[in-house]
C-alpha cells in the first residue's frame, strides 16, 4: 500500500467523534427537559463518549529506487534495483564487508585452518577438464599445455603437459548452514535447497554465475546442513569461501520448468526467502510492499526494526527524487535513484542540513588507460615509454576535479585497486599534480616545445619508440555517460597546458566495450580511453596482465593498454591463483601496485562513491563500499531518536 493510502489512527478517532456528534444532533430532547449542561461543575453525571482503542499503526519504511525490476528471480535479477529488493528477502548467505566475506546463514567460513577447506591430489589424464594457469580459464588437458602439478603453489613451478597421467590438486570445501533456519513459510531450509539452486543455475542459458559453474567439478549435500563443493583440478581461487550457492525453495519451485522461472509468480514476482521480510503484494504502480518475516532467524534480536518496507520506483531525475525525500514521500533514496547528475543537488541540500548523504568510496574506479600495444607489432606509440606516461600524469589535476564533482565524498586512487580495499598499498602514491615538473619531465623524455608556444603540441626529439617530429597529440575515446565525458574533457584541458593536444571521441558504452578486434579500445583504434572498471574482493590485477592483452587467441582480453611486464605477471598470478598465506597474497598484491605506479599503464582518475540519501527520520545505515547493496543491513534501519 502506498504511503498516504493507509488510514491513520487519528483518522479513525475523528470518524468516531464525528459519528457521536451526528447522533446527538439527530435526537433532540423536548424543550421543557432540563439537560445537565453544567460544564463547570465537578459533579456532572452523564457518561462521556470514549474513543475506541485502536492498535498502533505498523511502522513503515519507504525506500525509493530507480526503475522497477522486470524479474526478482535469483538468476535473472540483473538490475541493481532487483539486488536491493532481494536484500530484504534474502539475508546473505554471506555479506561482503570491507572486501571480506562475513557468514550470515553459515556457521563459519570454510578455511584450511578450520578444516572445512582442503587441497586433495587427484590423477588427471589427457582430455580431462582442468584449469589452465596460463589462460586463467577451464581447459582440456592436451600435450603442450601448461598445468599446475600437485604441490605447486605458485607460478614458478608450472609444467608443460607431455601426456599420460599426472597428479594435480583440487579444492574440496564444505559449507555448514546454521541450525534451525526456515523459509518464510515455516518450511525448513536445508543443504538440499542450495544444491537445488546450483542445478538451476547450471541449467540456465547462459549460467548466471557461469565462471563458477564451469570451475565446479561437484556440488552435493553431505547431510541436511552441509554442502560440499569440489573444484576442477588446478583451480586455486582465493575466494573459495564464496563458492556456496544461495538456497532456493525446492518445495515451491521444483515443479516449475527452468525456462519459466524468470517470469513465474513464485520465483520472479513474489520470491520466498529466509530474510527479514517477505513480499506481501505488488501494486499496479510497480511498488512492492513487504512485511516482517516471523520466521527470521534474527527475530530474537528485535530485527527487523520496521514492520513493513515499501519499495517505490521513482526514476532518477535529480530534482524530482530529492524533492520526494524532502516532502517525506521517500525515507531513503537508494543509490539506484541517484544518477551522477544528482550530486550538485545532494551537496546543496546536505549543506543546508535538510538531508543526510551517506557514502562510501566504491569499488568502481574511473581510469584513463594509455593504449600502446601497437608498439609491439612495430607501430610506434607516443605512450610506449613509461617516462612519458608519468610526465603526462603530473599534468592532470585529479584531486581538484574530484573535489569539484563530489566534495569530500570521493578520493583519487593511487593504483588499479579501489582506495578502500584492505590490500591497497597506501604508501605508494602516484604522480602528484605539478604542471611545471611535468613540463620538465616531458622535455627530458624527448618531447620538446619547439616553438615556445604552449598552445601548440610538443614534438618528439629523441623520444623513446617514437619518430622525430611526431606531435604529442592523440585520440581519446570515452563513453557518452556524463561523468566519464566530464572527466575526459577535464583531462584534455589539463594536458593542453603541458603542450599536448587531445581529440575527443565519444561512444555509447556498449560500443566502446566491444571486444577485439572490432572494438575501438580493445581493437587498438584509440590512443587512450577513459572508462570505469570495478574491483572486487580479489585484486583485479589481471586487467593489466599480459595474458589479457586482446588478440586472435584471446579476443575477450581486457588489457586494452597492452602493458606487459614479467614481474607484474608473476605477482599477479600469485594473487589470483597462488595457494599461499594471507601475508604472501598481500605482498604479491603490493608488488603489482608498485609496478603499476612505476610504469603507469593507466591513470586512475577517481574512486567513484556509492551513495544513499536519507531523510531526517531514519538512522542506522552503515554504508560499505564492497557490499552488494548499500542497504545490505536493511533490517537494522530504525527511526531516529528525538
Amino acid at each position: 500500500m502506498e504511503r498516504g493510502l493507509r488510514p491513520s489512527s487519528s483518522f479513525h478517532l475523528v470518524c468516531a467523534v464525528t459519528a457521536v456528534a451526528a447522533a446527538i444532533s439527530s435526537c433532540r430532547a423536548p424543550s421543557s427537559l432540563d439537560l445537565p449542561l453544567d460544564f463547570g461543575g465537578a459533579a456532572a453525571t452523564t457518561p462521556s463518549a470514549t474513543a475506541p482503542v485502536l492498535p498502533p499503526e505498523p511502522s513503515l519504511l519507504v525506500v525509493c529506487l530507480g526503475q522497477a525490476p522486470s524479474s526478482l528471480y535469483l538468476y535473472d535479477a540483473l538490475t541493481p534495483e532487483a539486488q536491493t529488493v532481494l536484500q530484504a528477502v534474502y539475508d546473505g548467505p554471506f555479506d561482503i564487508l570491507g572486501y571480506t566475506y562475513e557468514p550470515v546463514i553459515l556457521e563459519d567460513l570454510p578455511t584450511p585452518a578450520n578444516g572445512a577447506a582442503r587441497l586433495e591430489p587427484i590423477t588427471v589424464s589427457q582430455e580431462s577438464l582442468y584449469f589452465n594457469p596460463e589462460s586463467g580459464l577451464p581447459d582440456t588437458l592436451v600435450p603442450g599445455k601448461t598445468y599446475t602439478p600437485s604441490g605447486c603453489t605458485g607460478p614458478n613451478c608450472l609444467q608443460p603437459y607431455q601426456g599420460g597421467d599426472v597428479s594435480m590438486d583440487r579444492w574440496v570445501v564444505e559449507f555448514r548452514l546454521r541450525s534451525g533456519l526456515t523459509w518464510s513459510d515455516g518450511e525448513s531450509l536445508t543443504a538440499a535447497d542450495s544444491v537445488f539452486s546450483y542445478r538451476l543455475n547450471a541449467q540456465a542459458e547462459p549460467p548466471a554465475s557461469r565462471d563458477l559453474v564451469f570451475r565446479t567439478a561437484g556440488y552435493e549435500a553431505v547431510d541436511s546442513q552441509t554442502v560440499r563443493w569440489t573444484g576442477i583440478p588446478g583451480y586455486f581461487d582465493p575466494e573459495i569461501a564464496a563458492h556456496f550457492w544461495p538456497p532456493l525453495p525446492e518445495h515451491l519451485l521444483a515443479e516449475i520448468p527452468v525456462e519459466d522461472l524468470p517470469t513465474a509468480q513464485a520465483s520472479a514476482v513474489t520470491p520466498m526467502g529466509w530474510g527479514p521480510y517477505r513480499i506481501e503484494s505488488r501494486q499496479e504502480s510497480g511498488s512492492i510492499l513487504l512485511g516482517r518475516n516471523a520466521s527470521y532467524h534474527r527475530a530474537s534480536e528485535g530485527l527487523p526494526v520496521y514492520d513493513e518496507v515499501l519499495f517505490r520506483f521513482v526514476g532518477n531525475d535529480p530534482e524530482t527524487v530529492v524533492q520526494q525525500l524532502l516532502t517525506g514521500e521517500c525515507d531513503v533514496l537508494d543509490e539506484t535513484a541517484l544518477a551522477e547528475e544528482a550530486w550538485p543537488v545532494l551537496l546543496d541540500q546536505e549543506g543546508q542540513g535538510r538531508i543526510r548523504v551517506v557514502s562510501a568510496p566504491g569499488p568502481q574506479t574511473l581510469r584513463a588507460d594509455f593504449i600502446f600495444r601497437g608498439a609491439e607489432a612495430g607501430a610506434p606509440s607516443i605512450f610506449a615509454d613509461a617516462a612519458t606516461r608519468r610526465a603526462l600524469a603530473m599534468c592532470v589535476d585529479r584531486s581538484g576535479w574530484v573535489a569539484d564533482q563530489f566534495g569530500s565524498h570521493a578520493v583519487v586512487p593511487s593504483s588499479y585497486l579501489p582506495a578502500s580495499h584492505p590490500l591497497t598499498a597506501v604508501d605508494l602514491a602516484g604522480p602528484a599534480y605539478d604542471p611545471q615538473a611535468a613540463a620538465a619531465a616531458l622535455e627530458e623524455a624527448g618531447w620538446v616545445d619547439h616553438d615556445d608556444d604552449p598552445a601548440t603540441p610538443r614534438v618528439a626529439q629523441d623520444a623513446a619508440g617514437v619518430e622525430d617530429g611526431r606531435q604529442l597529440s592523440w585520440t581519446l575515446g570515452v563513453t557518452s555517460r556524463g561523468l566519464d565525458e566530464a572527466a575526459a574533457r577535464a583531462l584534455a584541458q589539463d594536458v593542453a597546458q603541458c603542450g599536448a593536444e587531445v581529440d575527443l571521441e565519444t561512444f555509447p558504452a556498449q560500443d566502446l566495450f566491444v571486444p577485439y578486434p572490432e572494438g575501438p579500445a580493445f581493437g587498438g583504434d584509440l590512443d587512450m580511453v577513459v572508462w570505469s572498471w570495478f574491483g572486487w574482493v580479489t585484486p583485479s590485477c589481471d586487467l593489466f596482465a599480459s595474458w589479457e592483452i586482446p588478440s586472435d587467441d584471446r579476443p575477450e582480453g581486457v588489457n586494452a593498454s597492452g602493458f606487459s611486464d614479467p614481474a607484474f605477471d608473476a605477482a599477479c598470478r600469485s594473487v589470483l591463483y597462488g595457494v599461499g598465506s594471507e601475508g604472501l597474497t598481500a605482498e604479491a598484491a603490493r608488488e603489482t601496485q608498485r609496478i603499476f605506479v612505476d610504469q603507469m599503464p593507466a591513470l586512475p582518475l577517481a574512486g567513484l562513491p556509492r551513495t544513499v540519501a536519507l531523510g531526517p527520520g531514519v538512522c542506522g545505515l552503515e554504508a560499505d563500499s564492497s557490499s552488494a547493496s548499500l542497504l545490505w543491513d536493511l533490517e537494522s534501519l530504525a527511526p531516529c531518536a528525538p
Side-chain angles (χ1 to χ4, degrees), residues 246-265:
L248 284 173
E250 186 174 15
H251 67 286
L252 292 180
L253 306 183
E255 301 303 319
I256 301 176
V258 173
E259 62 271 16
D260 293 341
L261 288 170
T263 57
Q265 178 78 21

Side-chain angles (χ1 to χ4, degrees), residues 509-533:
Q510 63 269 24
D511 293 345
L512 191 62
F513 283 88
V514 168
Y516 174 93
E518 291 85 6
F522 295 116
D525 295 333
L526 299 171
D527 303 302
M528 176 182 281
V529 59
V530 168
W531 48 13
S532 299
W533 285 82

Side-chain angles (χ1 to χ4, degrees), residues 63 79 119 128 187 229 236 274 340 343 345 491 512 524 551 581 598 638:
V63 179
T79 67
L119 282 173
S128 296
E187 290 287 329
W229 173 84
F236 305 130
W274 61 85
E340 59 197 40
W343 271 102
V345 182
L491 182 149
L512 191 62
S551 65
S581 67
D598 179 64

Side-chain angles (χ1 to χ4, degrees), residues 185-272:
D185 64 356
E187 290 287 329
S188 295
L189 188 157
T190 69
D193 290 312
S194 177
V195 175
F196 173 69
S197 180
Y198 160 73
R199 290 172 179 164
L200 292 180
N201 185 191
Q203 293 176 61
E205 280 294 337
S209 304
R210 58 181 301 168
D211 286 350
L212 182 53
V213 168
F214 295 157
R215 289 159 172 76
T216 297
Y219 196 74
E220 58 187 338
V222 177
D223 55 42
S224 63
Q225 286 182 253
T226 309
V227 175
R228 179 183 295 143
W229 173 84
T230 303
I232 63 175
Y235 177 48
F236 305 130
D237 185 352
E239 295 182 40
I240 55 171
H243 295 354
F244 176 83
W245 266 263
L248 284 173
E250 186 174 15
H251 67 286
L252 292 180
L253 306 183
E255 301 303 319
I256 301 176
V258 173
E259 62 271 16
D260 293 341
L261 288 170
T263 57
Q265 178 78 21
S267 54
V269 182
T270 56
M272 177 179 292

Side-chain angles (χ1 to χ4, degrees), residues 355-366:
I355 64 174
R356 288 188 298 121
V357 177
V358 180
S359 68
Q364 188 176 10
T365 299
L366 185 63

Side-chain angles (χ1 to χ4, degrees), residues 5-306:
L5 299 182
R6 182 192 294 114
S8 66
S9 299
S10 60
F11 174 78
H12 287 301
L13 181 58
V14 169
C15 290
V17 173
T18 302
V20 172
I24 292 174
S25 64
S26 64
C27 301
R28 296 185 182 275
S31 58
S32 61
L33 183 64
D34 293 328
L35 295 176
L37 298 176
D38 183 5
F39 296 108
T45 59
T46 54
S48 61
T50 302
V53 177
L54 300 173
E57 180 181 353
S59 57
L60 175 70
L61 178 71
V62 181
V63 179
C64 291
L65 311 178
Q67 308 300 320
S70 59
S71 175
L72 293 176
Y73 176 49
L74 184 62
Y75 297 120
D76 195 49
L78 303 180
T79 67
E81 288 90 347
Q83 292 298 318
T84 298
V85 172
L86 292 179
Q87 294 296 311
V89 177
Y90 306 117
D91 188 11
F94 36 72
D95 289 326
I96 302 176
L97 303 175
Y99 296 88
T100 302
Y101 290 94
E102 301 288 345
V104 176
I105 63 171
L106 300 172
E107 288 185 349
D108 201 355
L109 293 181
T111 66
N114 63 24
R118 65 183 185 276
L119 282 173
E120 67 174 21
I122 182 174
T123 300
V124 182
S125 305
Q126 187 168 321
E127 302 294 333
S128 296
L129 178 67
Y130 86 114
F131 187 79
N132 187 325
E134 285 196 330
S135 66
L137 296 170
D139 204 347
T140 301
L141 186 63
V142 296
K145 290 193 174 180
T146 301
Y147 76 100
T148 306
S150 180
C152 177
T153 59
N156 298 323
C157 49
L158 304 179
Q159 294 183 12
Y161 177 64
Q162 297 178 353
D165 292 342
V166 295
S167 180
M168 300 177 66
D169 292 329
R170 66 179 182 182
W171 277 114
V172 178
V173 185
E174 292 187 349
F175 301 88
R176 186 162 181 81
L177 290 164
R178 295 180 184 273
S179 61
L181 293 173
T182 64
W183 296 99
S184 59
D185 64 356
E187 290 287 329
S188 295
L189 188 157
T190 69
D193 290 312
S194 177
V195 175
F196 173 69
S197 180
Y198 160 73
R199 290 172 179 164
L200 292 180
N201 185 191
Q203 293 176 61
E205 280 294 337
S209 304
R210 58 181 301 168
D211 286 350
L212 182 53
V213 168
F214 295 157
R215 289 159 172 76
T216 297
Y219 196 74
E220 58 187 338
V222 177
D223 55 42
S224 63
Q225 286 182 253
T226 309
V227 175
R228 179 183 295 143
W229 173 84
T230 303
I232 63 175
Y235 177 48
F236 305 130
D237 185 352
E239 295 182 40
I240 55 171
H243 295 354
F244 176 83
W245 266 263
L248 284 173
E250 186 174 15
H251 67 286
L252 292 180
L253 306 183
E255 301 303 319
I256 301 176
V258 173
E259 62 271 16
D260 293 341
L261 288 170
T263 57
Q265 178 78 21
S267 54
V269 182
T270 56
M272 177 179 292
W274 61 85
Y277 294 98
R278 59 180 297 166
I279 297 176
E280 300 287 355
S281 63
R282 297 188 70 161
Q283 308 295 325
E284 291 183 3
S285 64
S287 62
I288 304 174
L289 180 66
L290 299 92
R292 184 191 294 268
N293 173 18
S295 300
Y296 183 43
H297 71 281
R298 298 182 64 191
S300 62
E301 302 174 39
L303 299 175
V305 176
Y306 284 95

